[in-house]
Amino acid sequence: MRKSTFIFLTLALVILSELSTYGQTQNYKKGLDAIQANRYHEAMVCFTKVVADEKFEISGKELSMAYAYLAVIRTAYLKKNLQQFDFNSINRNQGQIQLTIQEMVRAVKFQDNASKNIIKNSKATLVEISSKSLQVIGDSLLTFDENNPNEGSNYLASFAINQFGELSQMVLNDWQLHDILGLAHYHLGDRESAMDEFKKARAQFAVLEVQPNSQLHLRNYILSGNYFFKEKNNMKEAYQISNEGSTYTSVLINELDDNQMTDILKLNKIENRFRQYMARIDESGE
């Protein structure tokens, strides 16, 4: 390559870089102006352009703010569009759900003190929306047999993981999230991932001052106990889980009235299974 050609290409790259940086700066300023004028769609477009190519960096503080504003705006749109928490509505907004969670995860990852305050309320709103949506999916998954997967359960399980799996990167204490994701992984045959999620859920559930009645969490104990007793032959883990499961089941039974005998008998059967595991482990001396 001739020296003159090389110099020309180098200058062209430098100019292109400066133009891109300039464009990024201009889009950031336009985004701020649009926010002030309540032109939120315009602001979203501008900030999307700002973060689209991070190799032409504006200041770190400005980039953090751009991520924050994007997450806030997308959360507001999602809240407006997802008023009803039934599966049809959730399914219809799945693309928006996934994109909003991704934006919020990124905003949390790159937050500083200023942007943290901006996203605080929107983050809480998104977690609430996601929790309600996941509860619908989790309740539906409970109606399926985990050991006999079918098209319906596989779709629900995949939907939960694909749409809400990234939430665990920014939500540190949500046992319900981990219970539902664990159940989803279990339905899809990924036992290791399921047990990881179930373990997180049990640890967070154990420190609650008041432990609510949750069929999802009860299923955690059942599936985890079975897995470590029957599949992994890990008697220490199986005993601990069965002990916790037995205690929790007893609490659920005591909360029922005498006229709920069907539910009492069902829970008694579950509690007896936990006790059988513990007794067999005690007898084996393991």
Side-chain angles (χ1 to χ4, degrees):
M1 181 183 295
R2 291 183 179 180
K3 185 176 181 179
S4 59
T5 304
F6 176 79
I7 293 174
F8 174 78
L9 290 175
T10 301
L11 288 172
L13 288 172
V14 170
I15 293 171
L16 179 60
S17 176
E18 290 179 350
L19 286 173
S20 298
T21 305
Y22 176 78
Q24 199 176 44
T25 301
Q26 288 299 102
N27 278 312
Y28 180 76
K29 291 179 179 178
K30 286 173 62 179
L32 292 180
D33 290 341
I35 286 283
Q36 293 296 322
N38 297 326
R39 299 194 303 271
Y40 297 115
H41 181 76
E42 180 183 338
M44 185 171 64
V45 172
C46 290
F47 289 128
T48 298
K49 292 178 180 178
V50 168
V51 304
D53 196 344
E54 295 177 26
K55 67 181 180 180
F56 304 122
E57 292 187 357
I58 54 177
S59 72
K61 180 179 178 62
E62 290 173 331
L63 191 60
S64 177
M65 295 294 282
Y67 286 138
Y69 283 127
L70 265 178
V72 168
I73 294 169
R74 290 200 183 279
T75 300
Y77 279 131
L78 178 61
K79 181 180 180 180
K80 180 180 179 181
N81 292 335
L82 190 57
Q83 298 285 335
Q84 300 296 323
F85 289 95
D86 57 81
F87 187 72
N88 287 335
S89 298
I90 296 167
N91 191 41
R92 189 165 56 248
N93 288 280
Q94 60 177 292
Q96 190 177 6
I97 291 171
Q98 187 176 41
L99 185 57
T100 304
I101 290 174
Q102 289 173 349
E103 295 285 13
M104 187 63 74
V105 167
R106 190 166 57 171
V108 170
K109 181 179 179 181
F110 291 100
Q111 69 185 1
D112 57 17
N113 289 334
S115 62
K116 184 177 182 180
N117 289 330
I118 289 176
I119 65 174
K120 181 180 178 180
N121 291 337
S122 292
K123 178 184 173 184
T125 298
L126 180 57
V127 170
E128 181 182 1
I129 291 171
S130 300
S131 295
K132 289 180 179 179
S133 301
L134 274 170
Q135 189 65 49
V136 172
I137 298 171
D139 289 343
S140 297
L141 280 175
L142 283 174
T143 65
F144 292 94
D145 182 354
E146 301 88 356
N147 298 311
N148 293 292
N150 58 46
E151 185 176 341
S153 63
N154 285 343
Y155 180 81
L156 285 170
S158 298
F159 188 95
I161 293 168
N162 292 336
Q163 300 300 315
F164 299 98
E166 288 189 72
L167 269 179
S168 59
Q169 296 182 39
M170 68 174 186
V171 180
L172 301 180
N173 293 300
D174 191 331
W175 59 270
Q176 290 174 298
L177 167 65
H178 294 299
D179 269 339
I180 296 170
L181 292 179
L183 184 58
H185 282 297
Y186 198 97
H187 271 279
L188 295 175
D190 186 352
R191 299 292 195 262
E192 295 296 327
S193 294
M195 293 305 124
D196 287 343
E197 295 289 350
F198 283 153
K199 184 176 182 179
K200 293 175 185 176
R202 291 195 304 274
Q204 294 171 12
F205 194 82
V207 298
L208 295 176
E209 291 185 9
V210 178
Q211 296 183 339
N213 184 328
S214 170
Q215 292 300 308
L216 276 164
H217 197 65
L218 179 60
R219 190 65 64 91
N220 177 335
Y221 288 122
I222 294 170
L223 296 179
S224 299
N226 287 345
Y227 175 78
F228 285 105
F229 187 82
K230 294 182 177 180
E231 296 186 37
K232 296 297 286 186
N233 199 33
N234 184 334
M235 296 300 112
K236 181 179 180 180
E237 191 74 13
Y239 192 95
Q240 180 178 339
I241 293 169
S242 297
N243 189 31
E244 293 174 4
S246 175
T247 301
Y248 183 60
T249 308
S250 294
V251 172
L252 297 182
I253 292 172
N254 290 334
E255 291 178 352
L256 296 176
D257 298 326
D258 292 341
N259 60 356
Q260 296 175 283
M261 191 55 62
T262 300
D263 293 330
I264 291 174
L265 292 174
K266 181 180 178 180
L267 288 171
N268 272 328
K269 185 176 179 181
I270 294 171
E271 185 180 16
N272 287 336
R273 185 191 308 170
F274 288 134
R275 293 186 178 278
Q276 288 171 8
Y277 286 164
M278 293 165 66
R280 289 168 65 179
I281 294 170
D282 284 334
E283 290 171 1
S284 68
E286 296 188 39

